[in-house]
């Protein structure tokens, strides 16, 4: 089942009063709880009705006519729920041993129930409570370039929001060496065009970041324009595009966000001695396009980076993927 992000985020805090015996069971299974089973002879033999009551952090009451999306499966048969402001949905299912799975989209935990014996010709109520959860991503190929008008000794500490998966040249507490006027970085007598690191991290989508829908045929021209607007050099653009372009064009259309400057501190913090006159950072996040990403679209005009004197440029990125229900 194709995953999508929310059309509209909503929050409805509802106070359902559970009987005393339900409260005890709720402590054991706080994310999904089936309660209030009643016989219903109007149903066909072998079927049951389950009314799902959702509580999802950070949702907001939605305007009339709008809906939000929750993904679910019943015994591994996947489907999509479109919720209005009542935050409830009723399903007709087959009776017998049943396992439910629910996913609220990026930033929310996946909920998997135990196998539950649903009785024939019954009406059930169920409580579903999502919790906030960051997405596990592999921050790929953050690379760091230096520019300096003169030969300069430097030391650089990179503190990722996670642990390093790989570094090159090898990193041990810091990188220490010389920056040459042609941009080459010399460490232990060897020269490199840039410093490289990877890291597994937690990430949560931000609506405040720039957001774009980009067709497969437009990926290269889109990246060229965005990077040119930011003032990257020809070599820097080539490094960026030859790495991310092939990953993005595997899809017919992609959703793209850019995280710039201070917003990149969520991925790693940098400490350089001497302090560069400018530190410029850009991270790209992308995922296969779905129409419900539309509420995250936020095209912006990029402001060129200032790159005078001794300056540092870092770029990196990641693909966001979601769990299968």
């Amino acid at each position: 089942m194709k995953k999508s992000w929310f059309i509209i985020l909503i929050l409805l805090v509802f106070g359902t009063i559970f009987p005393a015996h339900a409260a005890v069971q709720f402590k054991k299974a706080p994310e999904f709880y089936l309660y209030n089973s009643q016989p219903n002879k109007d149903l066909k033999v072998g079927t049951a009705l389950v009314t799902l009551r959702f509580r999802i952090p950070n949702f907001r009451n939605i305007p009339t006519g709008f809906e939000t999306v929750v993904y679910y499966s019943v015994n591994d048969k996947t489907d999509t729920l479109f919720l209005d402001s009542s935050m409830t949905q009723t399903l007709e299912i087959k009776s017998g041993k049943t396992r439910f799975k629910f996913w609220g989209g990026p930033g929310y935990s996946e909920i998997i129930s135990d196998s539950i014996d649903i009785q024939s010709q019954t009406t059930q109520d169920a409580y579903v409570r999502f919790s906030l959860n960051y997405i596990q991503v592999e921050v790929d190929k953050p690379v760091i370039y230096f520019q300096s008008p003169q030969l300069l000794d430097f030391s650089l500490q990179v503190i990722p929001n996670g642990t390093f998966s790989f570094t090159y040249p090898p990193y041990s507490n810091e990188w220490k060496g010389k920056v040459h006027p042609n941009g080459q970085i010399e460490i232990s007598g060897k020269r490199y065009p840039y410093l490289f690191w990877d890291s597994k991290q937690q990430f949560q989508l931000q609506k405040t970041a720039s957001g774009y829908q980009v067709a497969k045929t437009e990926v290269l021209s889109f990246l060229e324009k965005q990077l040119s607007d930011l003032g990257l050099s020809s070599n820097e653009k080539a490094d960026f595009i030859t790495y991310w372009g092939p990953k993005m064009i595997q899809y017919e259309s992609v959703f793209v966000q850019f995280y710039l400057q201070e917003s990149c501190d969520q991925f790693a913090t940098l400490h350089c001695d001497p302090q560069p006159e400018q530190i410029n950072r850009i991270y790209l996040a992308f995922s296969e396009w779905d129409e419900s990403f539309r509420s995250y679209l936020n095209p912006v005009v990029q402001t060129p980076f200032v790159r005078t004197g001794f300056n540092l440029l870092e770029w990196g990125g990641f693909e966001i993927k979601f769990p299968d229900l």
Side-chain angles (χ1 to χ4, degrees), residues 29-41:
E31 294 179 329
F32 179 83
Y33 176 64
L34 203 62
Y35 70 100
N36 194 27
S37 177
Q38 300 289 336
N40 186 343
K41 297 303 180 183

Side-chain angles (χ1 to χ4, degrees), residues 6 16-17 32 40 54 58 85 96 100 110 118 128 138 142 158 174 193 207 276 305-306:
F6 302 119
T16 305
I17 300 176
F32 179 83
N40 186 343
F54 290 89
N58 286 356
S85 59
F100 297 89
E110 184 182 20
I118 304 293
V128 185
E138 179 78 23
V158 178
E174 65 179 1
K207 279 202 152 192
F305 291 147
V306 176

